[in-house]
Amino acid sequence: MKTNILVIAGVVVLASIAFAITIGLGITNVSALAGATNVSVPVTLNNSQPVAIFEFIVNHSSYLAFKGVEPTPRMPNATIEWQNLSTTQVKVSAFVPDNIQAGNGTIMNLKFDVGLLAVPGIYDVKVGNELFVNANETLTLEITNGQFTIL
């Protein structure tokens, strides 16, 4: 399925009109205790145009173990895939046939477990290698990275 999403993304990019729309992608700051499980890290999207396909890489602390993705109602009928690239990187890809409609709010929650021996501190959660497209425009992103505080 991952190949299908990327092929669809390539076709949509090639069919795009040559003007760009800027949208905002953000990782919300969260706090949790060492040993906490299934901690939600919200991913927000501020978009003035619908979004159909996206992919990005999340870089996180080695004290966090990525467990999965939980979509919100902003992503109806989405096909979401993720792949751990390393112990500190995960790639998230999604195809949303009904589009993420224009708006501002959480599109998904990244789920993490916090290691039992995690050292208290503030750790970055960063987004990179992002690709967001729809059928009509080339979309450019403004990224707001987040922080995970281990208490």
Side-chain angles (χ1 to χ4, degrees):
M1 183 58 88
K2 190 177 315 175
T3 304
N4 292 343
I5 289 174
L6 296 177
V7 168
I8 291 168
V11 170
V12 172
V13 169
L14 291 175
S16 294
I17 296 174
F19 61 93
I21 301 292
T22 301
I23 59 177
L25 179 71
I27 304 291
T28 302
N29 296 337
V30 298
S31 299
L33 295 170
T37 59
N38 210 30
V39 178
S40 292
V41 177
V43 177
T44 61
L45 185 66
N46 181 358
N47 56 311
S48 61
Q49 299 293 319
V51 174
I53 299 169
F54 65 85
E55 179 176 277
F56 56 84
I57 293 175
V58 177
N59 297 288
H60 59 83
S61 167
S62 60
Y63 292 126
L64 304 176
F66 181 76
K67 294 300 182 182
V69 174
E70 179 181 86
T72 69
R74 285 199 70 199
M75 293 182 49
N77 302 313
T79 299
I80 304 171
E81 296 180 355
W82 60 89
Q83 175 186 7
N84 284 308
L85 302 177
S86 71
T87 57
T88 60
Q89 281 191 327
V90 61
K91 180 174 20 176
V92 178
S93 304
F95 170 60
V96 188
D98 298 329
N99 290 317
I100 301 172
Q101 296 304 314
N104 186 11
T106 303
I107 57 170
M108 68 174 57
N109 291 295
L110 305 175
K111 297 294 193 166
F112 291 94
D113 288 349
V114 183
L116 285 171
L117 302 177
V119 175
I122 299 172
Y123 300 93
D124 290 331
V125 180
K126 296 182 178 181
V127 173
N129 295 14
E130 61 281 339
L131 168 68
F132 278 67
V133 296
N134 71 16
N136 300 315
E137 294 91 13
T138 300
L139 304 174
T140 57
L141 267 79
E142 292 179 357
I143 303 294
T144 303
N145 291 309
Q147 294 180 323
F148 197 114
T149 301
I150 299 175
L151 305 171

